[in-house]
Amino acid sequence: MHDPSEILFFAFDLLYVDGWDLRRLPFRERRWLLDPIVAGRTGAIRLSEEVEADGEEFYRVACAHGLEGIIAKHREKPYRSGRGDWWQKITCKRRDSFVIVGFEPSTVPGAIGRLLLAARRRGELVYVGGCGTGWTYAESVKLRELLEAIRTDSPAVNLKRKNAVFVEPVLVADAEYRAWTQDGKLRHPSFKGIRERADAGEIFILTNK
């Protein structure tokens, strides 16, 4: 659990002020009105930084620094709810390989609910989270059959889960994910394929913890 005092809210838009509806104003004017209200604050509410830069280069730098992505807004557009071409959320996506150390059964008979994944840190396998998306039902059934054949009573990682089924760490899952959490877990991983672990050096090595 995070300390509530560590939570920060970054304001980037202003829709109402002193009873006035600002939604018809262009974004640049709404930002201009927001600036004196929030700028310079050091408490829980702060002004998000506005960056004018080449979009592709800024996205590359954001991803290289481990950020989830960038938000691009059209400076001359009024506010509209929902998604549209006036603003874009562009998420960073990474893809690496992780050892499968177990799975959690699905509520659907014969299928996988989540894969339990691990990576190497200082030469030892450590649990980096579960992956529960990226496969069809048929693929999930085949994957479970494969993993059932290598079940073990000796988990490869220090993990206690009531309904977990542990397997020998001999298979590797390729997964796409957005970032690492502060406690060293994958954020929003999605399964992309499986292969035999031919070389332990190919497994992603944790460097942030």
Side-chain angles (χ1 to χ4, degrees):
M1 296 291 291
H2 290 288
D3 185 341
S5 65
E6 297 178 350
I7 297 176
L8 300 177
F9 177 85
F10 287 92
F12 62 88
D13 203 344
L14 183 66
L15 306 185
Y16 297 89
V17 63
D18 295 332
W20 291 92
D21 186 346
L22 308 179
R23 291 177 295 178
R24 294 184 179 181
L25 296 179
F27 176 62
R28 59 179 174 79
E29 293 187 25
R30 303 197 307 271
R31 283 282 303 196
W32 181 78
L33 292 169
L34 174 66
D35 190 281
I37 298 174
V38 186
R41 290 198 178 194
T42 58
I45 301 177
R46 305 181 185 183
L47 183 68
S48 69
E49 184 177 358
E50 187 177 23
V51 179
E52 292 188 30
D54 177 78
E56 291 186 4
E57 176 63 15
F58 186 55
Y59 172 77
R60 186 192 65 78
V61 172
C63 294
H65 281 76
L67 301 180
E68 287 194 39
I70 63 174
I71 293 179
K73 297 180 72 74
H74 198 300
R75 301 189 70 185
E76 301 303 322
K77 293 288 186 178
Y79 177 82
R80 294 289 184 272
S81 61
R83 292 294 182 96
D85 60 2
W86 52 89
W87 78 276
Q88 298 288 328
K89 181 179 180 181
I90 309 168
T91 58
C92 296
K93 294 183 178 180
R94 300 167 175 80
R95 185 164 177 166
D96 285 303
S97 298
F98 303 92
V99 180
I100 300 174
V101 293
F103 67 91
E104 294 178 350
S106 171
T107 55
V108 179
I112 293 283
R114 292 203 316 164
L115 288 175
L116 306 179
L117 305 177
R120 290 198 176 277
R121 185 176 70 202
R122 303 186 189 97
E124 296 184 359
L125 283 175
V126 293
Y127 177 66
V128 295
C131 175
T133 63
W135 49 65
T136 65
Y137 170 70
E139 291 170 339
S140 178
V141 171
K142 290 181 179 179
L143 183 56
R144 179 163 179 175
E145 291 176 352
L146 183 63
L147 295 177
E148 289 281 6
I150 54 173
R151 291 180 64 152
T152 180
D153 294 327
S154 301
V157 296
N158 183 18
L159 180 65
K160 294 181 180 180
R161 287 187 178 274
K162 185 177 181 180
N163 62 336
V165 177
F166 295 103
V167 303
E168 295 288 346
V170 296
L171 296 176
V172 167
D174 289 327
E176 188 176 84
Y177 61 102
R178 293 187 183 178
W180 290 98
T181 64
Q182 290 186 344
D183 60 347
K185 301 297 187 299
L186 299 173
R187 190 185 299 278
H188 305 305
S190 177
F191 177 77
K192 295 301 178 183
I194 192 172
R195 58 183 170 81
E196 293 184 3
R197 193 174 79 174
D199 181 0
E202 295 178 0
I203 299 168
F204 183 78
I205 300 176
L206 281 173
T207 57
N208 67 325
K209 296 293 287 183

PDB file of all heavy atoms in Angstrom, residues 28-54:
ATOM      1  N   ARG A  28      -5.317  26.101 -25.326  1.00  0.00           N
ATOM      2  CA  ARG A  28      -4.250  27.025 -24.929  1.00  0.00           C
ATOM      3  C   ARG A  28      -4.774  28.079 -23.960  1.00  0.00           C
ATOM      4  O   ARG A  28      -4.054  28.501 -23.031  1.00  0.00           O
ATOM      5  CB  ARG A  28      -3.613  27.679 -26.149  1.00  0.00           C
ATOM      6  CG  ARG A  28      -4.569  28.466 -27.018  1.00  0.00           C
ATOM      7  CD  ARG A  28      -3.855  29.113 -28.199  1.00  0.00           C
ATOM      8  NE  ARG A  28      -4.799  29.752 -29.103  1.00  0.00           N
ATOM      9  CZ  ARG A  28      -5.353  30.934 -28.881  1.00  0.00           C
ATOM     10  NH1 ARG A  28      -5.028  31.620 -27.780  1.00  0.00           N
ATOM     11  NH2 ARG A  28      -6.201  31.453 -29.734  1.00  0.00           N
ATOM     12  N   GLU A  29      -6.044  28.534 -24.127  1.00  0.00           N
ATOM     13  CA  GLU A  29      -6.610  29.531 -23.228  1.00  0.00           C
ATOM     14  C   GLU A  29      -6.991  28.910 -21.890  1.00  0.00           C
ATOM     15  O   GLU A  29      -6.847  29.548 -20.837  1.00  0.00           O
ATOM     16  CB  GLU A  29      -7.839  30.196 -23.872  1.00  0.00           C
ATOM     17  CG  GLU A  29      -7.494  31.051 -25.075  1.00  0.00           C
ATOM     18  CD  GLU A  29      -8.695  31.838 -25.587  1.00  0.00           C
ATOM     19  OE1 GLU A  29      -9.620  32.099 -24.780  1.00  0.00           O
ATOM     20  OE2 GLU A  29      -8.710  32.183 -26.781  1.00  0.00           O
ATOM     21  N   ARG A  30      -7.448  27.675 -21.917  1.00  0.00           N
ATOM     22  CA  ARG A  30      -7.770  26.994 -20.657  1.00  0.00           C
ATOM     23  C   ARG A  30      -6.503  26.785 -19.835  1.00  0.00           C
ATOM     24  O   ARG A  30      -6.509  26.921 -18.604  1.00  0.00           O
ATOM     25  CB  ARG A  30      -8.476  25.663 -20.930  1.00  0.00           C
ATOM     26  CG  ARG A  30      -9.756  25.796 -21.759  1.00  0.00           C
ATOM     27  CD  ARG A  30     -10.649  24.574 -21.668  1.00  0.00           C
ATOM     28  NE  ARG A  30      -9.983  23.319 -21.965  1.00  0.00           N
ATOM     29  CZ  ARG A  30      -9.886  22.791 -23.176  1.00  0.00           C
ATOM     30  NH1 ARG A  30     -10.381  23.436 -24.229  1.00  0.00           N
ATOM     31  NH2 ARG A  30      -9.292  21.623 -23.364  1.00  0.00           N
ATOM     32  N   ARG A  31      -5.408  26.447 -20.499  1.00  0.00           N
ATOM     33  CA  ARG A  31      -4.130  26.307 -19.808  1.00  0.00           C
ATOM     34  C   ARG A  31      -3.671  27.650 -19.238  1.00  0.00           C
ATOM     35  O   ARG A  31      -3.112  27.713 -18.135  1.00  0.00           O
ATOM     36  CB  ARG A  31      -3.056  25.776 -20.765  1.00  0.00           C
ATOM     37  CG  ARG A  31      -3.121  24.311 -21.059  1.00  0.00           C
ATOM     38  CD  ARG A  31      -2.558  23.462 -19.951  1.00  0.00           C
ATOM     39  NE  ARG A  31      -1.180  23.769 -19.603  1.00  0.00           N
ATOM     40  CZ  ARG A  31      -0.411  22.953 -18.885  1.00  0.00           C
ATOM     41  NH1 ARG A  31      -0.885  21.803 -18.444  1.00  0.00           N
ATOM     42  NH2 ARG A  31       0.828  23.290 -18.590  1.00  0.00           N
ATOM     43  N   TRP A  32      -3.890  28.710 -19.971  1.00  0.00           N
ATOM     44  CA  TRP A  32      -3.493  30.045 -19.525  1.00  0.00           C
ATOM     45  C   TRP A  32      -4.234  30.425 -18.248  1.00  0.00           C
ATOM     46  O   TRP A  32      -3.659  31.045 -17.340  1.00  0.00           O
ATOM     47  CB  TRP A  32      -3.765  31.051 -20.636  1.00  0.00           C
ATOM     48  CG  TRP A  32      -3.381  32.456 -20.290  1.00  0.00           C
ATOM     49  CD1 TRP A  32      -2.119  32.989 -20.299  1.00  0.00           C
ATOM     50  CD2 TRP A  32      -4.262  33.510 -19.889  1.00  0.00           C
ATOM     51  NE1 TRP A  32      -2.148  34.312 -19.916  1.00  0.00           N
ATOM     52  CE2 TRP A  32      -3.454  34.657 -19.659  1.00  0.00           C
ATOM     53  CE3 TRP A  32      -5.644  33.597 -19.706  1.00  0.00           C
ATOM     54  CZ2 TRP A  32      -4.002  35.879 -19.248  1.00  0.00           C
ATOM     55  CZ3 TRP A  32      -6.186  34.814 -19.290  1.00  0.00           C
ATOM     56  CH2 TRP A  32      -5.373  35.947 -19.062  1.00  0.00           C
ATOM     57  N   LEU A  33      -5.509  30.038 -18.136  1.00  0.00           N
ATOM     58  CA  LEU A  33      -6.296  30.313 -16.941  1.00  0.00           C
ATOM     59  C   LEU A  33      -5.924  29.376 -15.789  1.00  0.00           C
ATOM     60  O   LEU A  33      -6.026  29.751 -14.616  1.00  0.00           O
ATOM     61  CB  LEU A  33      -7.788  30.172 -17.257  1.00  0.00           C
ATOM     62  CG  LEU A  33      -8.366  31.221 -18.208  1.00  0.00           C
ATOM     63  CD1 LEU A  33      -9.775  30.825 -18.662  1.00  0.00           C
ATOM     64  CD2 LEU A  33      -8.403  32.584 -17.520  1.00  0.00           C
ATOM     65  N   LEU A  34      -5.515  28.172 -16.116  1.00  0.00           N
ATOM     66  CA  LEU A  34      -5.133  27.201 -15.090  1.00  0.00           C
ATOM     67  C   LEU A  34      -3.804  27.565 -14.439  1.00  0.00           C
ATOM     68  O   LEU A  34      -3.630  27.366 -13.228  1.00  0.00           O
ATOM     69  CB  LEU A  34      -5.037  25.806 -15.721  1.00  0.00           C
ATOM     70  CG  LEU A  34      -4.502  24.677 -14.837  1.00  0.00           C
ATOM     71  CD1 LEU A  34      -5.465  24.397 -13.694  1.00  0.00           C
ATOM     72  CD2 LEU A  34      -4.277  23.414 -15.672  1.00  0.00           C
ATOM     73  N   ASP A  35      -2.896  28.129 -15.208  1.00  0.00           N
ATOM     74  CA  ASP A  35      -1.530  28.360 -14.743  1.00  0.00           C
ATOM     75  C   ASP A  35      -1.456  29.132 -13.417  1.00  0.00           C
ATOM     76  O   ASP A  35      -0.802  28.673 -12.471  1.00  0.00           O
ATOM     77  CB  ASP A  35      -0.741  29.075 -15.836  1.00  0.00           C
ATOM     78  CG  ASP A  35       0.743  29.125 -15.536  1.00  0.00           C
ATOM     79  OD1 ASP A  35       1.138  29.982 -14.721  1.00  0.00           O
ATOM     80  OD2 ASP A  35       1.508  28.311 -16.095  1.00  0.00           O
ATOM     81  N   PRO A  36      -2.105  30.301 -13.285  1.00  0.00           N
ATOM     82  CA  PRO A  36      -1.962  31.040 -12.019  1.00  0.00           C
ATOM     83  C   PRO A  36      -2.631  30.361 -10.824  1.00  0.00           C
ATOM     84  O   PRO A  36      -2.326  30.680  -9.676  1.00  0.00           O
ATOM     85  CB  PRO A  36      -2.637  32.387 -12.327  1.00  0.00           C
ATOM     86  CG  PRO A  36      -3.592  32.089 -13.429  1.00  0.00           C
ATOM     87  CD  PRO A  36      -2.930  31.032 -14.259  1.00  0.00           C
ATOM     88  N   ILE A  37      -3.534  29.422 -11.078  1.00  0.00           N
ATOM     89  CA  ILE A  37      -4.228  28.732  -9.992  1.00  0.00           C
ATOM     90  C   ILE A  37      -3.346  27.659  -9.369  1.00  0.00           C
ATOM     91  O   ILE A  37      -3.334  27.463  -8.149  1.00  0.00           O
ATOM     92  CB  ILE A  37      -5.540  28.107 -10.499  1.00  0.00           C
ATOM     93  CG1 ILE A  37      -6.483  29.205 -11.010  1.00  0.00           C
ATOM     94  CG2 ILE A  37      -6.223  27.287  -9.405  1.00  0.00           C
ATOM     95  CD1 ILE A  37      -7.749  28.661 -11.654  1.00  0.00           C
ATOM     96  N   VAL A  38      -2.572  26.966 -10.211  1.00  0.00           N
ATOM     97  CA  VAL A  38      -1.829  25.793  -9.745  1.00  0.00           C
ATOM     98  C   VAL A  38      -0.318  25.976  -9.801  1.00  0.00           C
ATOM     99  O   VAL A  38       0.414  25.368  -9.010  1.00  0.00           O
ATOM    100  CB  VAL A  38      -2.233  24.547 -10.572  1.00  0.00           C
ATOM    101  CG1 VAL A  38      -1.585  23.297 -10.004  1.00  0.00           C
ATOM    102  CG2 VAL A  38      -3.740  24.390 -10.611  1.00  0.00           C
ATOM    103  N   ALA A  39       0.178  26.785 -10.703  1.00  0.00           N
ATOM    104  CA  ALA A  39       1.631  26.900 -10.902  1.00  0.00           C
ATOM    105  C   ALA A  39       2.349  27.271  -9.612  1.00  0.00           C
ATOM    106  O   ALA A  39       1.881  28.097  -8.828  1.00  0.00           O
ATOM    107  CB  ALA A  39       1.926  27.939 -11.977  1.00  0.00           C
ATOM    108  N   GLY A  40       3.488  26.629  -9.397  1.00  0.00           N
ATOM    109  CA  GLY A  40       4.304  26.934  -8.236  1.00  0.00           C
ATOM    110  C   GLY A  40       3.950  26.162  -6.994  1.00  0.00           C
ATOM    111  O   GLY A  40       4.661  26.225  -5.985  1.00  0.00           O
ATOM    112  N   ARG A  41       2.872  25.419  -7.012  1.00  0.00           N
ATOM    113  CA  ARG A  41       2.487  24.639  -5.840  1.00  0.00           C
ATOM    114  C   ARG A  41       3.422  23.450  -5.651  1.00  0.00           C
ATOM    115  O   ARG A  41       3.908  22.867  -6.605  1.00  0.00           O
ATOM    116  CB  ARG A  41       1.053  24.119  -5.998  1.00  0.00           C
ATOM    117  CG  ARG A  41      -0.020  25.194  -5.910  1.00  0.00           C
ATOM    118  CD  ARG A  41      -1.367  24.567  -5.644  1.00  0.00           C
ATOM    119  NE  ARG A  41      -2.422  25.559  -5.510  1.00  0.00           N
ATOM    120  CZ  ARG A  41      -3.630  25.293  -5.009  1.00  0.00           C
ATOM    121  NH1 ARG A  41      -3.919  24.070  -4.613  1.00  0.00           N
ATOM    122  NH2 ARG A  41      -4.537  26.240  -4.911  1.00  0.00           N
ATOM    123  N   THR A  42       3.623  23.106  -4.391  1.00  0.00           N
ATOM    124  CA  THR A  42       4.465  21.953  -4.074  1.00  0.00           C
ATOM    125  C   THR A  42       3.718  20.909  -3.260  1.00  0.00           C
ATOM    126  O   THR A  42       4.315  19.973  -2.752  1.00  0.00           O
ATOM    127  CB  THR A  42       5.716  22.396  -3.292  1.00  0.00           C
ATOM    128  OG1 THR A  42       5.299  23.079  -2.089  1.00  0.00           O
ATOM    129  CG2 THR A  42       6.581  23.324  -4.126  1.00  0.00           C
ATOM    130  N   GLY A  43       2.407  21.060  -3.140  1.00  0.00           N
ATOM    131  CA  GLY A  43       1.611  20.119  -2.371  1.00  0.00           C
ATOM    132  C   GLY A  43       1.127  18.965  -3.216  1.00  0.00           C
ATOM    133  O   GLY A  43       1.767  18.557  -4.184  1.00  0.00           O
ATOM    134  N   ALA A  44      -0.058  18.435  -2.876  1.00  0.00           N
ATOM    135  CA  ALA A  44      -0.597  17.265  -3.565  1.00  0.00           C
ATOM    136  C   ALA A  44      -1.106  17.601  -4.960  1.00  0.00           C
ATOM    137  O   ALA A  44      -1.184  16.733  -5.815  1.00  0.00           O
ATOM    138  CB  ALA A  44      -1.723  16.642  -2.737  1.00  0.00           C
ATOM    139  N   ILE A  45      -1.469  18.861  -5.205  1.00  0.00           N
ATOM    140  CA  ILE A  45      -1.967  19.284  -6.516  1.00  0.00           C
ATOM    141  C   ILE A  45      -0.920  20.161  -7.178  1.00  0.00           C
ATOM    142  O   ILE A  45      -0.500  21.174  -6.631  1.00  0.00           O
ATOM    143  CB  ILE A  45      -3.294  20.044  -6.388  1.00  0.00           C
ATOM    144  CG1 ILE A  45      -4.361  19.173  -5.713  1.00  0.00           C
ATOM    145  CG2 ILE A  45      -3.776  20.503  -7.759  1.00  0.00           C
ATOM    146  CD1 ILE A  45      -5.680  19.879  -5.492  1.00  0.00           C
ATOM    147  N   ARG A  46      -0.496  19.750  -8.381  1.00  0.00           N
ATOM    148  CA  ARG A  46       0.542  20.478  -9.082  1.00  0.00           C
ATOM    149  C   ARG A  46       0.182  20.642 -10.556  1.00  0.00           C
ATOM    150  O   ARG A  46      -0.679  19.935 -11.069  1.00  0.00           O
ATOM    151  CB  ARG A  46       1.889  19.756  -8.953  1.00  0.00           C
ATOM    152  CG  ARG A  46       2.295  19.505  -7.505  1.00  0.00           C
ATOM    153  CD  ARG A  46       3.631  18.824  -7.398  1.00  0.00           C
ATOM    154  NE  ARG A  46       3.947  18.479  -6.023  1.00  0.00           N
ATOM    155  CZ  ARG A  46       5.085  17.927  -5.629  1.00  0.00           C
ATOM    156  NH1 ARG A  46       6.026  17.655  -6.526  1.00  0.00           N
ATOM    157  NH2 ARG A  46       5.286  17.639  -4.349  1.00  0.00           N
ATOM    158  N   LEU A  47       0.856  21.537 -11.220  1.00  0.00           N
ATOM    159  CA  LEU A  47       0.621  21.775 -12.645  1.00  0.00           C
ATOM    160  C   LEU A  47       1.463  20.828 -13.474  1.00  0.00           C
ATOM    161  O   LEU A  47       2.679  20.714 -13.264  1.00  0.00           O
ATOM    162  CB  LEU A  47       0.976  23.221 -12.996  1.00  0.00           C
ATOM    163  CG  LEU A  47       0.718  23.644 -14.446  1.00  0.00           C
ATOM    164  CD1 LEU A  47      -0.773  23.684 -14.728  1.00  0.00           C
ATOM    165  CD2 LEU A  47       1.353  25.010 -14.708  1.00  0.00           C
ATOM    166  N   SER A  48       0.822  20.131 -14.398  1.00  0.00           N
ATOM    167  CA  SER A  48       1.592  19.243 -15.276  1.00  0.00           C
ATOM    168  C   SER A  48       2.419  20.088 -16.237  1.00  0.00           C
ATOM    169  O   SER A  48       2.016  21.171 -16.655  1.00  0.00           O
ATOM    170  CB  SER A  48       0.647  18.328 -16.068  1.00  0.00           C
ATOM    171  OG  SER A  48      -0.094  19.074 -17.012  1.00  0.00           O
ATOM    172  N   GLU A  49       3.576  19.577 -16.565  1.00  0.00           N
ATOM    173  CA  GLU A  49       4.468  20.316 -17.448  1.00  0.00           C
ATOM    174  C   GLU A  49       4.005  20.195 -18.890  1.00  0.00           C
ATOM    175  O   GLU A  49       3.668  19.116 -19.366  1.00  0.00           O
ATOM    176  CB  GLU A  49       5.889  19.781 -17.319  1.00  0.00           C
ATOM    177  CG  GLU A  49       6.905  20.554 -18.142  1.00  0.00           C
ATOM    178  CD  GLU A  49       8.318  20.040 -17.938  1.00  0.00           C
ATOM    179  OE1 GLU A  49       8.502  19.105 -17.133  1.00  0.00           O
ATOM    180  OE2 GLU A  49       9.240  20.567 -18.598  1.00  0.00           O
ATOM    181  N   GLU A  50       3.982  21.314 -19.580  1.00  0.00           N
ATOM    182  CA  GLU A  50       3.619  21.320 -21.000  1.00  0.00           C
ATOM    183  C   GLU A  50       4.898  21.393 -21.817  1.00  0.00           C
ATOM    184  O   GLU A  50       5.743  22.270 -21.595  1.00  0.00           O
ATOM    185  CB  GLU A  50       2.716  22.516 -21.313  1.00  0.00           C
ATOM    186  CG  GLU A  50       2.159  22.509 -22.728  1.00  0.00           C
ATOM    187  CD  GLU A  50       1.219  23.670 -22.970  1.00  0.00           C
ATOM    188  OE1 GLU A  50       1.334  24.684 -22.253  1.00  0.00           O
ATOM    189  OE2 GLU A  50       0.384  23.580 -23.881  1.00  0.00           O
ATOM    190  N   VAL A  51       5.047  20.458 -22.748  1.00  0.00           N
ATOM    191  CA  VAL A  51       6.285  20.373 -23.527  1.00  0.00           C
ATOM    192  C   VAL A  51       5.968  20.535 -25.006  1.00  0.00           C
ATOM    193  O   VAL A  51       5.111  19.829 -25.548  1.00  0.00           O
ATOM    194  CB  VAL A  51       6.990  19.021 -23.294  1.00  0.00           C
ATOM    195  CG1 VAL A  51       8.257  18.938 -24.139  1.00  0.00           C
ATOM    196  CG2 VAL A  51       7.310  18.832 -21.820  1.00  0.00           C
ATOM    197  N   GLU A  52       6.641  21.477 -25.644  1.00  0.00           N
ATOM    198  CA  GLU A  52       6.543  21.623 -27.090  1.00  0.00           C
ATOM    199  C   GLU A  52       7.779  20.971 -27.695  1.00  0.00           C
ATOM    200  O   GLU A  52       8.894  21.448 -27.511  1.00  0.00           O
ATOM    201  CB  GLU A  52       6.461  23.098 -27.479  1.00  0.00           C
ATOM    202  CG  GLU A  52       5.168  23.781 -27.044  1.00  0.00           C
ATOM    203  CD  GLU A  52       5.042  25.183 -27.614  1.00  0.00           C
ATOM    204  OE1 GLU A  52       5.587  25.414 -28.721  1.00  0.00           O
ATOM    205  OE2 GLU A  52       4.430  26.028 -26.962  1.00  0.00           O
ATOM    206  N   ALA A  53       7.561  19.864 -28.394  1.00  0.00           N
ATOM    207  CA  ALA A  53       8.705  19.107 -28.929  1.00  0.00           C
ATOM    208  C   ALA A  53       8.246  18.270 -30.104  1.00  0.00           C
ATOM    209  O   ALA A  53       7.045  18.124 -30.355  1.00  0.00           O
ATOM    210  CB  ALA A  53       9.303  18.219 -27.835  1.00  0.00           C
ATOM    211  N   ASP A  54       9.213  17.717 -30.815  1.00  0.00           N
ATOM    212  CA  ASP A  54       8.900  16.763 -31.869  1.00  0.00           C
ATOM    213  C   ASP A  54       8.247  15.542 -31.236  1.00  0.00           C
ATOM    214  O   ASP A  54       8.806  14.933 -30.301  1.00  0.00           O
ATOM    215  CB  ASP A  54      10.178  16.356 -32.592  1.00  0.00           C
ATOM    216  CG  ASP A  54       9.935  15.302 -33.659  1.00  0.00           C
ATOM    217  OD1 ASP A  54       9.462  15.658 -34.741  1.00  0.00           O
ATOM    218  OD2 ASP A  54      10.204  14.114 -33.364  1.00  0.00           O
TER     219      ASP A  54
END
